[in-house]
Amino acid sequence: MVSSAADQPVLELDQVLESPQRAVAHLLERARGRSTADTRNLLVGGLRHVLDEGHASARELLKRPRHGLICAQHLSAVMDGVVGCLHVAATEHFYPALNPSQSERIAVVAVGGYGRGTLAPGSDVDLLFLFPHKQTAWGESVVEAMLYPLWDLKLKVGHSVRSVDDCVREARADMTIRTALLEARFIAGDALVFHDMVRRFGAEVVEGTAPAFTEAKLAERETRVRRAGTSRYLVEPNVKDGKGGLRDLNTLFWIAKYAYRVNDVRDLVTAGLFDRKEQLMFQRSEEFLWRVRCWLHFITGRAEERLSFDLQRQVAAAIGYAGRSGQAPVERFMKAYFLVAKDVGDLTAIVCAALEARQQKPRASLSRLLGSFAKRKRVRALGHPDFTLKSQRLNVVDPGAFRRDPVNLLRLYEIASRDDLAIHPDASRLVTQSLPLVTPELRNDPEANRIFLEILTARRSPEAVLRRMNESGLLGKFVPDFGRVVAMMQFNMYHHYTVDEHLIRSIGVLAEIDAGVLETEHPLANEIMPTITNRRALYVALFLHDIAKGRIEDHSIAGARIARKLGPRFGLTEGQTETVAWLVEHHLDMSTVAQSRDLGDPKTIESFAATVQTLERLKLLLVLTVADIKAVGPGVWNGWKGQLLRTLYYETEIVLAGGHSLIERKARVEKKQDALKERLADWDEAARDAYLARHYPAYWIKVDVAEQEKHARFLRRAEEEGRTTATLVETDQFRGVTELTILAPDHPRLLAIITGACAAAGGNIVDAQIFTTTDGLVLDTISVSRAFERDDDELRRAERIAAAIERALKGEIKIADLVAQRRAPPPRGQTFQVAPEVIIDNVLSSRHTVLEVAGLDRPGLLYDLTTAIGKLNLNIASAHIATFGEKAVDVFYVTDLTNAKIVSTARQLTIRKALLDVFGPDGEKAPPTKSKVPARA
């Protein structure tokens, strides 16, 4: 390589785009007299400059409004110039064919995504080197002379070398090759060879095979979508391969191009597949998705297709989104993304319907005659003259059906729900086109609202029908408050779906509980659902529980106000409306109390019972909470949360049924002690009585008898072995946790040591129950989330954690050093900002001060908090650990060393500062101490 930049001929982008031949001739003229190797290096250097200039100009183009597709087309044009230059250099300078034979002809062809004339900054460059016959030695040299510089330029090149015969033969056999050749585009070389291939491909491959190609492409799409995530409303979507992404648009165009022989999106209107509005929707969606994809590649410097949380902010800023009315810029950007994904889904349905109609053949006369009788009978069964069946799908009799009676818009979905019918895509398309008919008069029409309530509370698949209504746009138009949360995302790691998708999925979970199909997973909800009186109120409340998300005020309070407005409109009674409003306002209460309060503390149960007030409300709130948590996303619900909710339900049920908690507790303690005595029949009476005296009342209330027996035998075994420090591990598949029981002498920093050992061994603690015995020992039960499906694998891991805990308690290992080794922040650690907050409360418990600490989760956070609490000379009676995506909410029930509450204001300020310091300097900026628990979802 020549070292002097001034001495090195450089190709300019404008020259290359205008005429690769002249640009290369100019460069080679200046390189005259140099060796072949030097000339190649000069060519590569010049092309690298062209690519750099091309990328820089593409990025500038991308900054302009709605220039995503133009950016992708510009990058493709730059690549065409590069490939064209290499072809000129290879065929006219390095390997000129002075007297070319028939076989010494070559066409360089762009295929795949590059063939469409679009490239993202990090896209692969797919090339076909096409020969009329078998490849010759000259052809091999030309291909190598083009490929090596492309590799030197660090481009990801996918290439194939084929004759025209090869293309036809392989395209017939392989659908991937067929798809790539469908979008073949000539770049350089012999155009006649290319046109011969295109002609034969159309005549010998495409002709008569449209149904098979369509079926294969749609099946391929299903597989791809399953791999990328089946919902188009996943909050970290794959822009290229996800549902509603670019590949879906590509698939639509491939199918349309194959079936209708069109070459441009605009031709689809002429072909009758799209109307003008739908064509514009296609072009608008394509431009937006290319804009997002190009920014993803430019920002990351690689072919990144997943719009992850850490990139969403950056892309939103690059495109220029601003915050507005309670929504952050990133949330507005993602709403726009999901609306485009929805449009892509609508276009998919339109194309599928058109192809289905195109491929239908009339049946033989006799079966057609018999079929018409059966069809008339089924149509009569639909119960309305404006509806009919088309290809076994529900359709309207004519395009004027909705105009004649706008209530038919809802009636369509009611009949589909009642008779379990698929809706014909033509009808769905007509619904979308008829949305202007949804006026205030229709929204307040009693019959329309009756039908909507029937759909919402139907015993047969309300989720599927509501999703169809949402995708057509009708649901958001009929219930405008729902329309405000359509495609709305919440920028956090806890919620997996957009708000509207979460609400619809929660209705699906409720319908499954209602049908009794989730008995194993949700035994209590399944048991109490048939006893609920206000079934309709429950469905409406669940449908509305997050409807006020994205507003400045608390979404629970705003949602209750919306519920009071919508209840009478839906046809609910005054009492039902008030029940719905109460459920919406308190929909987070049961989850919050169950996961972050001491359920063995009588005050917890009494406070919660005072909020709930009736047994019916308790039942409703339990089922709503289960459906809400489960619909958040995969893996959010687990058996441990179910156990906590069941415990809270049973404890509260006693109070609401008229039992006084203190009297009931004493009787229940005695009952449990008697039950344990029976289980310890092999012990002598003195030993049993001595053991019963070792535990305080809270232990007997909180722990079930089977666990108590396990603890008793564990303690006895440790004593027999002369050990004051011991561990026991067990798995619990139903609750989804592994339980570690630890026996050790009481010590203020005991929980810090245990949590540190867990953190160092990779254990994720979800709950900690701490019981002190009357003889100075502590019996801690730590629940750790499972890491393995198989029990034997999980037990081996749990035993490693237990061994680490024992060694730490004996002082054999230094916990602080081990935890420090796991300090590396998670990849998205800085993506989210969670203001740390400490709430100190003396009202929630009669015996303890409750410390609630919320902040950004990180490895070792629980260890840091328990260490800080230990240094403050506080005893931890129980700890309750909950994570909501990136946000940790840890609650500790504490006393001072005299077992008294912390009432001194100065002492509380000291505690608060120490706990905020755990989160670093930003902790000092947290809001002032509050006495009330904030709502969270």
Side-chain angles (χ1 to χ4, degrees):
M1 290 281 292
V2 178
S3 57
S4 170
D7 188 42
Q8 183 171 328
V10 173
L11 291 168
E12 293 297 336
L13 177 61
D14 291 344
Q15 293 177 329
V16 167
L17 291 176
E18 187 180 331
S19 172
Q21 196 157 12
R22 280 204 301 274
V24 171
H26 178 68
L27 180 141
L28 294 175
E29 180 64 31
R30 293 176 64 183
R32 191 186 298 278
R34 302 196 183 204
S35 68
T36 301
D38 274 354
T39 304
R40 285 181 196 277
N41 288 337
L42 288 171
L43 180 63
V44 170
L47 293 176
R48 183 172 289 117
H49 173 77
V50 167
L51 283 174
D52 289 345
E53 202 179 341
H55 272 235
S57 56
R59 188 162 186 156
E60 287 305 309
L61 279 172
L62 193 58
K63 290 177 182 176
R64 298 179 191 174
R66 291 178 289 283
H67 269 54
L69 189 59
I70 291 170
C71 171
Q73 289 167 339
H74 178 71
L75 288 167
S76 176
V78 170
M79 191 57 63
D80 286 356
V82 169
V83 172
C85 286
L86 289 172
H87 175 263
V88 170
T91 57
E92 296 182 17
H93 180 76
F94 297 123
Y95 300 102
L98 301 174
N99 188 20
S101 67
Q102 184 67 16
S103 296
E104 289 176 328
R105 295 155 63 210
I106 183 173
V108 184
V109 181
V111 292
Y114 181 31
R116 282 189 297 279
T118 50
L119 278 180
S123 291
D124 294 359
V125 180
D126 295 323
L127 292 172
L128 165 65
F129 296 99
L130 184 64
F131 293 91
H133 310 295
K134 281 194 174 180
Q135 187 181 7
T136 61
W138 171 84
E140 192 173 334
S141 299
V142 169
V143 170
E144 285 183 1
M146 292 183 68
L147 283 176
Y148 281 111
L150 289 171
W151 291 332
D152 289 342
L153 290 166
K154 302 291 187 288
L155 294 170
K156 291 178 286 183
V157 183
H159 75 282
S160 54
V161 181
R162 295 190 182 101
S163 67
V164 174
D165 283 341
D166 291 338
C167 288
V168 172
R169 185 179 63 255
E170 292 178 30
R172 278 179 183 152
D174 188 308
M175 206 59 80
T176 304
I177 294 172
R178 193 183 304 188
T179 308
L181 290 177
L182 182 66
E183 300 204 278
R185 182 173 57 85
F186 178 74
I187 300 176
D190 194 320
L192 291 176
V193 175
F194 171 73
H195 291 308
D196 184 40
M197 187 274 290
V198 171
R199 179 186 58 77
R200 289 188 58 191
F201 178 77
E204 300 174 38
V205 179
V206 175
E207 189 64 43
T209 60
F213 181 82
T214 301
E215 190 177 338
K217 285 292 114 184
L218 292 176
E220 184 184 287
R221 175 184 178 270
E222 284 303 311
T223 305
R224 168 174 51 78
V225 163
R226 244 193 330 270
R227 198 165 54 240
T230 51
S231 173
R232 67 176 62 96
Y233 304 111
L234 284 170
V235 291
E236 289 187 298
N238 186 308
V239 177
K240 180 184 174 186
D241 290 327
K243 194 170 185 179
L246 268 170
R247 184 70 82 206
D248 272 3
L249 280 180
N250 295 343
T251 302
L252 291 190
F253 191 65
W254 290 334
I255 292 171
K257 186 173 185 178
Y258 204 99
Y260 291 85
R261 301 295 185 91
V262 296
N263 290 307
D264 191 277
V265 176
R266 287 168 294 194
D267 299 335
L268 296 176
V269 178
T270 312
L273 187 63
F274 288 161
D275 61 24
R276 173 72 179 146
K277 188 177 175 185
E278 288 155 355
Q279 177 218 323
L280 290 173
M281 185 193 289
F282 186 103
Q283 291 172 318
R284 190 172 60 245
S285 301
E286 185 179 32
E287 185 283 321
F288 180 86
L289 291 170
W290 269 113
R291 199 175 352 148
V292 173
R293 189 180 181 210
C294 287
W295 273 122
L296 272 175
H297 286 207
F298 275 129
I299 288 166
T300 60
R302 62 178 186 274
E304 179 59 67
E305 310 296 356
R306 188 159 168 261
L307 195 50
S308 55
F309 284 123
D310 50 340
L311 293 171
Q312 287 171 12
R313 279 187 196 275
Q314 297 176 63
V315 175
I319 293 176
Y321 278 87
R324 193 179 297 163
S325 62
Q327 277 194 285
V330 66
E331 291 174 335
R332 290 191 61 237
F333 159 59
M334 291 306 296
K335 177 161 187 167
Y337 179 91
F338 291 121
L339 287 172
V340 164
K342 178 184 170 299
D343 286 345
V344 173
D346 293 345
L347 293 169
T348 304
I350 290 164
V351 170
C352 291
L355 291 167
E356 183 182 274
R358 195 169 188 260
Q359 291 168 20
Q360 277 165 10
K361 296 185 177 73
R363 302 182 206 161
S365 57
L366 179 60
S367 31
R368 191 163 56 209
L369 183 65
L370 293 172
S372 67
F373 283 132
K375 181 182 174 184
R376 280 202 298 272
K377 191 175 178 182
R378 284 196 303 275
V379 168
R380 280 198 302 273
L382 296 177
H384 199 282
D386 282 331
F387 297 98
T388 186
L389 289 172
K390 183 178 178 182
S391 311
Q392 312 305 316
R393 297 183 186 189
L394 183 62
N395 204 350
V396 288
V397 291
D398 61 61
F402 298 140
R403 213 168 37 251
R404 278 195 303 277
D405 183 0
V407 176
N408 279 339
L409 286 163
L410 290 123
R411 205 169 272 130
L412 173 77
Y413 295 95
E414 181 194 26
I415 295 170
S417 173
R418 184 193 68 207
D419 296 349
D420 196 22
L421 290 169
I423 295 173
H424 198 281
D426 287 350
S428 296
R429 189 180 190 181
L430 187 60
V431 169
T432 303
Q433 293 167 349
S434 304
L435 290 179
L437 297 172
V438 183
T439 60
E441 287 75 24
L442 180 64
R443 291 189 195 107
N444 290 302
D445 184 283
E447 177 64 5
N449 282 284
R450 182 199 66 75
I451 290 172
F452 176 69
L453 202 56
E454 284 296 322
I455 292 168
L456 179 62
T457 61
R459 295 191 182 273
R460 181 184 268 170
S461 63
E463 178 186 2
V465 178
L466 288 170
R467 187 170 287 110
R468 288 178 199 163
M469 290 178 71
N470 193 33
E471 288 179 348
S472 70
L474 178 62
L475 189 54
K477 195 81 172 171
F478 187 69
V479 186
D481 288 296
F482 186 89
R484 286 184 63 166
V485 297
V486 168
M488 180 188 286
M489 73 158 288
Q490 298 157 81
F491 190 67
N492 58 54
M493 287 168 61
Y494 181 58
H495 295 92
H496 295 231
Y497 304 107
T498 55
V499 178
D500 57 326
E501 178 69 4
H502 165 67
L503 291 174
I504 291 170
R505 281 174 178 260
S506 66
I507 293 292
V509 176
L510 176 56
E512 287 182 314
I513 293 170
D514 202 359
V517 297
L518 297 178
E519 184 177 0
T520 307
E521 199 173 347
H522 305 295
L524 179 57
N526 189 78
E527 179 189 324
I528 66 175
M529 187 69 200
T531 70
I532 284 174
T533 308
N534 279 309
R535 180 179 174 275
R536 289 186 356 152
L538 176 57
Y539 273 87
V540 174
L542 192 59
F543 176 68
L544 300 178
H545 77 272
D546 276 347
I547 204 161
K549 280 283 178 80
R551 305 188 191 213
I552 295 168
E553 68 178 306
D554 184 309
H555 79 281
S556 301
I557 294 167
R561 194 168 58 249
I562 292 167
R564 288 188 179 93
K565 176 186 73 177
L566 288 176
R569 198 196 106 180
F570 289 162
L572 299 183
T573 64
E574 189 179 338
Q576 288 173 330
T577 300
E578 198 48 46
T579 297
V580 171
W582 184 89
L583 284 168
V584 172
E585 185 170 347
H586 295 275
H587 75 269
L588 296 171
D589 288 9
M590 196 165 194
S591 171
T592 301
V593 173
Q595 293 184 70
S596 60
R597 296 290 174 263
D598 185 346
L599 303 183
D601 189 319
K603 195 72 181 286
T604 299
I605 307 304
E606 286 165 11
S607 299
F608 182 65
T611 301
V612 176
Q613 296 182 347
T614 71
L615 196 53
E616 174 73 3
R617 277 183 175 179
L618 179 65
K619 292 176 182 179
L620 291 166
L621 194 55
L622 173 86
V623 178
L624 183 144
T625 304
V626 170
D628 183 15
I629 295 174
K630 191 156 187 208
V632 166
V636 175
W637 174 267
N638 56 40
W640 171 245
K641 288 175 182 168
Q643 177 68 30
L644 292 173
L645 288 171
R646 283 191 295 276
T647 301
L648 177 56
Y649 178 88
Y650 289 132
E651 293 290 318
T652 310
E653 184 184 37
I654 291 166
V655 178
L656 293 176
H660 191 283
S661 58
L662 290 176
I663 298 168
E664 287 287 335
R665 282 166 67 83
K666 189 174 181 183
R668 283 161 61 214
V669 166
E670 290 173 358
K671 188 177 177 183
K672 282 201 171 181
Q673 287 177 336
D674 290 342
L676 182 61
K677 276 186 178 182
E678 287 180 23
R679 285 174 173 254
L680 300 177
D682 53 323
W683 291 19
D684 63 62
E685 193 166 346
R688 280 184 292 183
D689 289 342
Y691 179 78
L692 296 182
R694 294 178 73 173
H695 291 290
Y696 293 105
Y699 174 82
W700 301 107
I701 293 294
K702 284 181 176 179
V703 183
D704 66 40
V705 178
E707 285 280 301
Q708 289 169 3
E709 182 188 1
K710 182 185 75 178
H711 290 163
R713 299 190 185 281
F714 169 56
L715 261 71
R716 189 173 201 183
R717 192 162 56 249
E719 284 174 358
E720 287 169 353
E721 294 168 1
R723 300 168 63 193
T724 53
T725 301
T727 55
L728 176 71
V729 297
E730 277 190 331
T731 60
D732 188 331
Q733 276 204 329
F734 180 70
R735 286 163 62 218
V737 296
T738 295
E739 210 170 71
L740 288 87
T741 307
I742 301 120
L743 177 70
D746 197 5
H747 185 280
R749 292 200 61 235
L750 180 63
L751 188 59
I753 294 168
I754 292 169
T755 56
C758 278
N764 176 39
I765 298 173
V766 295
D767 199 71
Q769 289 290 345
I770 299 148
F771 300 108
T772 308
T773 63
T774 54
D775 51 354
L777 293 175
V778 169
L779 189 66
D780 283 2
T781 303
I782 306 295
S783 297
V784 181
S785 56
R786 286 177 71 100
F788 298 100
E789 279 293 314
R790 288 165 53 92
D791 273 357
D792 50 353
D793 292 334
E794 182 62 22
L795 281 170
R796 276 193 294 273
R797 168 180 172 266
E799 280 159 5
R800 283 198 302 274
I801 297 173
I805 290 170
E806 285 200 48
R807 291 183 64 202
L809 290 171
K810 292 172 184 173
E812 295 173 8
I813 52 176
K814 203 168 181 183
I815 288 296
D817 294 344
L818 290 175
V819 174
Q821 291 170 15
R822 299 185 67 91
R823 282 280 182 226
R828 300 183 202 158
Q830 300 308 308
T831 302
F832 300 98
Q833 305 296 319
V834 178
E837 186 173 35
V838 174
I839 297 168
I840 301 175
D841 194 299
N842 278 316
V843 177
L844 290 168
S845 172
S846 52
R847 296 184 56 223
H848 304 99
T849 293
V850 179
L851 308 179
E852 179 170 327
V853 187
L856 189 65
D857 197 15
R858 66 168 190 259
L861 174 62
L862 189 56
Y863 166 74
D864 292 339
L865 290 172
T866 49
T867 299
I869 291 169
K871 287 178 179 175
L872 290 163
N873 293 320
L874 298 173
N875 281 325
I876 299 175
S878 69
H880 309 274
I881 295 94
T883 51
F884 301 89
E886 74 284 357
K887 183 179 182 179
V889 182
D890 297 336
V891 177
F892 305 93
Y893 280 62
V894 300
T895 61
D896 63 17
L897 296 181
T898 65
N899 286 326
K901 285 185 176 185
I902 294 89
V903 291
S904 158
T905 304
R907 183 95 161 95
Q908 288 183 4
L909 287 171
T910 303
I911 292 168
R912 185 172 182 276
K913 183 179 184 306
L915 294 177
L916 287 174
D917 285 347
V918 168
F919 295 94
D922 290 338
E924 293 170 17
K925 298 175 187 174
T929 302
K930 299 177 184 177
S931 59
K932 190 179 175 184
V933 180
R936 52 182 178 266

